[in-house]
């Protein structure tokens, strides 16, 4: 990633794109590389410009943000692109599906400007925009469902320690909290997480959390 974070805006609302663009253009460390008004245009834009971050509306005409995210995540040439889903509704089923499709996180459209800028910085570094507190909320709201092991192969590739750290990450623990729980260093916890992600083909921590529940490694608490 360069010192300047390159961002693509994909949203069917012109006013929303204009607002985001005005904010981002005012920042020295961010370059808006293009805009798209639907998911199909968004995928084409991302393939053409290969931004660091794509801000993608979850619901759009022609092609949804979820399908656009899935196509971006599936393209090896776009492996370095991080998708952040934009939503009006917070943690809803669309967001969960987007995380499954390969999104690195999500933002509310009415998020504070400072939070948006920080989010772009975090995701551009290759980190997941999914804090422990958000992970806990996601777990409580949307993954209380029977595991689907057919859609989440690979559990047998993980060592006992890797399974343990994956399960703890899925419960919303940070690397530091995992380290305390397992009586290991934060660096060792991070290493275990990284190896688990590599073995499972997870782009980031968000997908690792989804895998843990879909594979049945951990079970969500039913409401």
């Amino acid at each position: 990633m360069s010192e300047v974070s390159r961002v693509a805006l994909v949203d069917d609302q012109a006013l929303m794109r204009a607002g985001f663009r005005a904010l981002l253009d005012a920042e020295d460390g961010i370059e808006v590389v293009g805009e798209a008004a639907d998911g199909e245009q968004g995928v084409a834009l991302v393939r053409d410009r290969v931004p660091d971050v794509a801000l993608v509306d979850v619901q759009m005409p022609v092609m949804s943000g979820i399908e656009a995210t899935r196509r971006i995540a599936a393209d090896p040439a776009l492996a370095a692109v991080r998708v952040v889903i934009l939503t009006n509704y917070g943690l809803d089923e669309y967001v969960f599906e987007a995380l499954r499709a390969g999104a690195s996180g999500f933002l509310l459209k009415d998020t504070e400007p400072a939070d948006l800028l920080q989010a772009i910085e975090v995701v551009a570094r290759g980190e997941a925009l999914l804090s422990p507190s958000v992970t806990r909320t996601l777990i409580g709201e949307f993954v209380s469902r029977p595991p689907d092991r057919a859609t989440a192969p690979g559990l047998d590739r993980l060592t006992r320690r890797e399974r343990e750290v994956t399960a703890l990450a899925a419960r919303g623990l940070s690397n530091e909290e995992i380290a305390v729980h397992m009586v290991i260093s934060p660096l060792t916890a991070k290493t275990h997480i990284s190896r688990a992600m590599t073995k499972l083909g997870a782009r980031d921590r968000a997908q690792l959390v989804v895998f843990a529940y879909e594979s049945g490694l951990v079970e969500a608490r039913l409401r």
Side-chain angles (χ1 to χ4, degrees), residues 105-223:
F106 70 95
L107 284 172
L108 290 174
K109 286 190 174 183
D110 62 355
T111 191
E112 293 293 326
D115 292 336
L116 172 64
L117 297 174
Q118 182 183 24
I120 290 173
E121 179 183 345
V122 167
V123 175
R125 289 199 305 262
E127 300 176 22
L129 187 63
L130 198 62
S131 68
S133 61
V134 168
T135 303
R136 293 184 186 109
T137 305
L138 183 69
I139 291 165
E141 293 291 333
F142 299 107
V143 292
S144 49
R145 61 191 70 190
D148 184 1
R149 291 170 177 81
T151 64
L155 191 60
D156 57 344
R157 300 177 200 157
L158 302 184
T159 66
R160 181 181 61 81
R161 295 294 258 180
E162 288 165 356
R163 290 190 188 199
E164 188 175 355
V165 296
T166 298
L168 292 171
R171 297 189 191 283
L173 274 65
S174 66
N175 287 348
E176 290 73 19
E177 291 170 331
I178 291 172
V180 171
H181 183 89
M182 296 180 64
V183 196
I184 57 179
S185 72
L187 179 59
T188 299
K190 182 179 180 180
T191 298
H192 284 315
I193 289 287
S194 296
R195 286 175 178 168
M197 287 170 51
T198 298
K199 289 181 179 181
L200 297 172
R203 285 166 64 95
D204 52 37
R205 198 183 191 95
Q207 285 198 307
L208 193 65
V209 170
V210 171
F211 168 85
Y213 281 89
E214 291 195 326
S215 67
L217 180 61
V218 292
E219 295 181 0
R221 294 184 297 273
L222 295 174
R223 287 188 285 177

Side-chain angles (χ1 to χ4, degrees), residues 4 15 23 33 36 61 68 86 89 97 103-104 121 137 148 152 188-189 191 196:
V4 175
L15 186 60
L23 173 65
V33 299
L86 301 171
Y89 309 109
E97 290 301 321
S104 292
E121 179 183 345
T137 305
D148 184 1
T188 299
T191 298

Side-chain angles (χ1 to χ4, degrees), residues 19-160:
F20 280 129
R21 179 151 204 156
L23 173 65
L24 299 180
D25 279 344
E27 293 296 310
D28 292 336
I30 295 176
E31 176 191 359
V32 177
V33 299
E35 301 179 23
D38 61 53
E40 188 171 77
Q41 291 179 12
V43 173
L45 171 64
V46 170
R47 285 175 175 161
D48 180 52
R49 303 308 303 272
V50 193
D52 298 305
V53 179
L55 299 179
V56 179
D57 186 17
V58 71
Q59 292 180 289
M60 291 181 291
V62 184
M63 180 188 294
S64 72
I66 294 172
E67 180 58 28
T69 298
R70 187 175 291 114
R71 295 192 185 192
I72 291 169
D75 189 336
L78 304 178
V81 178
R82 293 293 176 259
V83 176
V84 174
I85 290 293
L86 301 171
T87 175
N88 288 315
Y89 309 109
L91 281 162
D92 58 17
E93 184 67 19
Y94 291 113
V95 169
F96 181 69
E97 290 301 321
L99 293 174
R100 278 185 19 172
S104 292
F106 70 95
L107 284 172
L108 290 174
K109 286 190 174 183
D110 62 355
T111 191
E112 293 293 326
D115 292 336
L116 172 64
L117 297 174
Q118 182 183 24
I120 290 173
E121 179 183 345
V122 167
V123 175
R125 289 199 305 262
E127 300 176 22
L129 187 63
L130 198 62
S131 68
S133 61
V134 168
T135 303
R136 293 184 186 109
T137 305
L138 183 69
I139 291 165
E141 293 291 333
F142 299 107
V143 292
S144 49
R145 61 191 70 190
D148 184 1
R149 291 170 177 81
T151 64
L155 191 60
D156 57 344
R157 300 177 200 157
L158 302 184
T159 66
R160 181 181 61 81

